[in-house]
Every structure is written in C-alpha cells, then in structure tokens.
Amino acid sequence: MRAQLARDFARFARELPRDFATYVRETYRINLSARYLGFDLPHPIGKGSGQLSLNESQLEADRAAGLAFVVLKTVIAQDESGAQTMAAWAIHETKMEVEQRASASGLDGWTVTWKGRGWDRSFEDYLALVRTAADLTRDGGLIAVPSVKFHLPRIDEPFREAEYRFTTRALANAWGAIPLPLEKDFSPTLSGDALADDRAQILRWLRDVPVQIRAAAPVRLAVKLMNARFDDAFQLEMLAAANAADTLVVFNRLFDADRGVAYGGWDLSDRNLRVLDRLRALASPLGTARPLDRLLCGTGNIHTGRLILDYARRGCSAVQLHTFFQLPLTEYPATAGSRTQRVLHKLVFDPDDGLVAGMLDLEAAGHLARRDGELHFLDVVADAHRPR
Ligand SMILES: Cc1cc2nc3c(=O)[nH]c(=O)nc-3n(C[C@H](O)[C@H](O)[C@H](O)COP(=O)(O)O)c2cc1C
C-alpha cells in the first residue's frame, strides 16, 4: 500500500481524480466519510470563510476539484432599513500578504496578513451568492453555507432583534429550503475589540445569539468561536456556553494586538489542539449529555493530512482551511491543476504526512482497527469522544 501511495502521489500531481474519496476507498479500503453541520461528506476537507468564497467562479473551481464544503465569506447583518450595528466590519481592503510567521515553539508557519473584515458589497449581491450556493448544495456537487456576523450588544444592552430577524429571514428565503444551514462568526478582530474585554459579555453572546437566530427562522447553526484574549480555561467556558449550536468551529485565528492583525500558523494549531485536549479530558464536556461526535469542526494551520488527524483525534468530524489555499504555487508538490486540486493532492496523498498515510500509521500503531475490512475516518473521531 505504501508503494501504491507513492505511485498515486506522483501520478495525481498532474491530475487529481475528482472522486478521489471513492478511489481511496476502493484502493486502500479507507473510508474518508465525514460530517459537517448535519451534512454527510465524502471526506473531511472544506474551505473556511474568507476571500476565497466571494463569487460563483471560486465555488465552481472548488466543486470541480472535489472539495467537500465551502463556507461563504461572512456578511455583516442589517435590518430592513439597511442599518448595520457591526458596520465597522464591512470595510473594503484588498491587499493581502501571505507570509511566514515564527511560533512560540520555534517553528515557522504560514499566515495571511490582512486588515479587511466582512463582505463589503451589497446585501443583495450576497443573497445572489447564497442562491448559487443553495443550488450547488441541492445538486450534490458541493455543500456551500453562508456565514454572518450579527449585532453583539454590551452586557447592559438588548440584542437588536430587527437585525437578526431581517437578515436571517432574507438568507432563509434565498436558500429556499428548511432548515437554513448557517455559520455565525465570532471573529479574531472582535477579540481585539474593546467589546470583547468582558468575559461575562462574551458568554452571554454565546448563550443568546443562537436563541436570537432561531427565533427568526429554522436554522442549522454552526458557531465559529474566536480565540479570546483570555486563558485556555476560558476557551472551555466559551465552548460550554455555545453548546446550543449544532456545530462548533474551533477556533478562529489569534489576534496580534501590537500589529492590530489576526494571525495563524503553529501558535494557532498549538493552542486549538491544547484546548481540545482539555475538553476531551473533561468528564462531562460542554455540560451536556448530547453526543459530541459530529459536533466539532476544526480550523487553524491545517496544511497536512496529519494535522487533519490531529483535529479528528480530538473530536473534529471535518476541518475547514483557509491559509493553505493561499500559498505560492511553488509550495504545492502538484505540477498542474487548480489551487484547490493541488491542496487536496497534498493533504490526501502525500506519502509522508497525507491523510491516507496517517490513517495507515494509526492502524499500524494499533490506534485504529478495520471494520468490515475498512478503516473509517469517523472511527478516529468517535474514539476521541469515548469515555477514558
Ligand atoms: C484573509 C482571511 C480572511 C478571513 N475571513 C473570514 C471571515 O470573513 N469569516 C470567518 O468566519 N473566518 C474568516 N477567516 C478565518 C478562516 O476561515 C480560518 O478559519 C482561519 O484562518 C484558520 O484557518 P487557517 O489557519 O487554515 O487559515 C479568514 C481568514 C483569512 C486568512
């Protein structure tokens, strides 16, 4: 199988088969099926919200490459008059720098430095993109899910219900079916904002935002949590407070207060994996009796199959990447194909640190057993949630 993997890696560098998950199942007897926000996926790899999901042609390239899901760029909510309480997040900024960043552990990783924030075109334009996303999702080619940032009040203020109501209903109408799948972004620039200085205020948002959204329309809700500027124990408090969500995306980028920018790299994955380790060690994670597998979606510095498995072994049934799609083309071993194909080629087939190699290694180490002759990605996830 290792020799086969080396051959496939070389051959798929020129062209990745779109249905590579079926190929992996037939060739290696590895079932990569995964879950995100109630959707069954052929494999766990999706694209996180950002500048790479702004238009139909980007979605089409991702569909053609065989990506499992995409989260659309975050739109800033508005009420029926067009007023946006989070308007400061709807700024226009085009310049992005893809750069190396050294981490506290001494490793260099990639980060994208960018001062922009949310969707900066009209709300009508966003609704048109949501209609396209819904069509792609219904056709079965690609799951594409909208993302929103809504009003976040200070602790002594009420929620602007009109903003939640108008935006959620408009998105639900554009989606055209029940329920609307939706991500709610608590972004890193928010954790750099004075609004997020108060722990009680953040915990109230996490408890009440799902209630506000669900009062407006039937929604399947993912909450994308930020890395707040507090300690790891507070990250766990945030997870427990947000436990009414259907999926928790863990965790958006760190915030560099000196430079005033969000960042990723190894500091981000080190922190995220450390907090997920602590979550797994709790007797009653999130303070609920509901099953945790299929609840978590990982994000942060994922650029190898092994990192996908690091998140899966801590309970994430899918992952969403962003930075790895933006590297210079010379960083990918593939010599042809779209950027998305090159990313998938490296993540899945790299004989050293790809997903297939990592699953075979887990089997060899006795951490993963075949069922009916197959290794299952979701067994890695389920094992993370078994009481220990
Ligand atoms: C330039 C850029 C823009 C982003 N914009 C958004 C956004 O609008 N909404 C959101 O939820 N996440 C946004 N993200 C976060 C990514 O979706 C992702 O979760 C995060 O960067 C961690 O993954 P990565 O290390 O693979 O980039 C953005 C990230 C980058 C680098």
Side-chain angles (χ1 to χ4, degrees):
M1 278 200 188
R2 300 286 174 166
Q4 174 76 43
L5 190 54
R7 278 198 303 277
D8 283 344
F9 186 59
R11 149 171 107 96
F12 295 155
R14 294 184 296 277
E15 190 177 0
L16 182 77
R18 187 191 180 278
D19 194 4
F20 63 86
T22 300
Y23 177 83
V24 166
R25 192 166 178 185
E26 285 167 357
T27 309
Y28 300 95
R29 310 279 286 146
I30 293 178
N31 183 334
L32 294 178
S33 297
R35 295 273 296 180
Y36 163 73
L37 196 50
F39 292 103
D40 287 319
L41 310 175
H43 62 81
I45 306 165
K47 182 178 274 184
S49 174
Q51 303 319 99
L52 305 174
S53 45
L54 297 168
N55 58 52
E56 185 170 356
S57 60
Q58 289 170 322
L59 297 181
E60 180 47 39
D62 290 339
R63 188 204 60 74
L67 201 65
F69 70 100
V70 172
V71 184
L72 305 182
K73 178 67 189 170
T74 300
V75 73
I76 309 305
Q78 61 176 62
D79 66 16
E80 51 282 319
S81 73
Q84 297 172 309
T85 48
M86 306 298 276
W89 270 264
I91 56 171
H92 180 70
E93 170 70 60
T94 49
K95 191 166 158 284
M96 275 190 273
E97 259 352 306
V98 180
E99 52 189 11
Q100 296 256 301
R101 186 175 171 116
S103 71
S105 68
L107 290 174
D108 279 343
W110 290 98
T111 189
V112 181
T113 304
W114 184 59
K115 297 238 175 178
R117 295 177 168 196
W119 179 263
D120 60 3
R121 305 206 301 271
S122 74
F123 189 54
E124 285 64 38
D125 283 354
Y126 195 78
L127 294 178
L129 185 62
V130 172
R131 282 185 211 102
T132 303
D135 287 344
L136 281 167
T137 303
R138 275 192 282 273
D139 289 349
L142 174 75
I143 287 152
V145 169
S147 163
V148 191
K149 189 187 297 297
F150 291 98
H151 172 234
L152 296 173
R154 298 189 180 282
I155 196 129
D156 50 354
E157 286 174 352
F159 282 86
R160 297 268 170 90
E161 285 170 22
E163 203 181 275
Y164 279 82
R165 206 170 38 239
F166 176 79
T167 298
T168 310
R169 289 188 184 161
L171 293 171
N173 285 337
W175 186 263
I178 286 174
L180 164 74
L182 186 65
E183 265 197 21
K184 160 71 186 110
D185 176 31
F186 286 89
S187 65
T189 44
L190 177 67
S191 63
D193 193 277
L195 256 183
D197 282 346
D198 180 339
R199 295 178 192 228
Q201 191 157 288
I202 295 175
L203 296 175
R204 174 191 176 217
W205 296 337
L206 295 172
R207 270 191 304 268
D208 291 354
V209 160
V211 178
Q212 292 289 332
I213 296 172
R214 290 201 166 110
V219 166
R220 212 151 62 205
L221 184 65
V223 167
K224 185 169 185 179
L225 292 165
M226 59 185 171
N227 266 299
R229 281 174 300 159
F230 303 111
D231 58 10
D232 292 356
F234 186 69
Q235 291 300 121
L236 294 175
E237 277 187 65
M238 291 196 339
L239 282 166
N243 72 15
D246 298 295
T247 289
L248 295 169
V249 185
V250 287
F251 296 95
N252 210 330
R253 301 200 298 165
L254 298 161
F255 192 73
D256 180 335
D258 294 337
R259 290 180 70 195
V261 292
Y263 69 96
W266 288 100
D267 284 338
L268 177 59
S269 51
D270 286 349
R271 179 172 213 214
N272 289 354
L273 296 172
R274 193 172 69 226
V275 171
L276 293 176
D277 273 337
R278 285 187 60 169
L279 178 72
R280 200 164 49 135
L282 295 178
S284 163
L286 309 191
T288 108
R290 60 195 277 218
L292 288 185
D293 54 332
R294 305 174 181 211
L295 182 65
L296 300 177
C297 178
T299 191
N301 191 38
I302 295 167
H303 58 278
T304 64
R306 283 191 198 278
L307 273 154
I308 297 174
L309 289 169
D310 285 341
Y311 279 91
R313 295 178 77 188
R314 290 161 179 83
C316 299
S317 58
V319 290
Q320 41 177 275
L321 299 60
H322 189 91
T323 301
F324 193 50
F325 288 102
Q326 285 198 277
L327 303 192
L329 280 187
T330 47
E331 292 297 316
Y332 307 107
T335 49
S338 67
R339 209 169 259 279
T340 307
Q341 284 171 317
R342 293 177 197 224
V343 163
L344 290 168
H345 166 254
K346 160 98 177 117
L347 291 177
V348 177
F349 291 100
D350 189 299
D352 298 319
D353 58 21
L355 193 50
V356 170
M359 298 272 293
L360 293 175
D361 286 352
L362 286 178
E363 181 187 28
H367 295 313
L368 184 62
R370 289 185 184 261
R371 274 192 293 120
D372 302 325
E374 286 187 339
L375 296 175
H376 294 255
F377 174 79
L378 282 175
D379 283 354
V380 179
V381 181
D383 190 50
H385 296 302
R386 225 157 262 146
R388 53 204 68 235

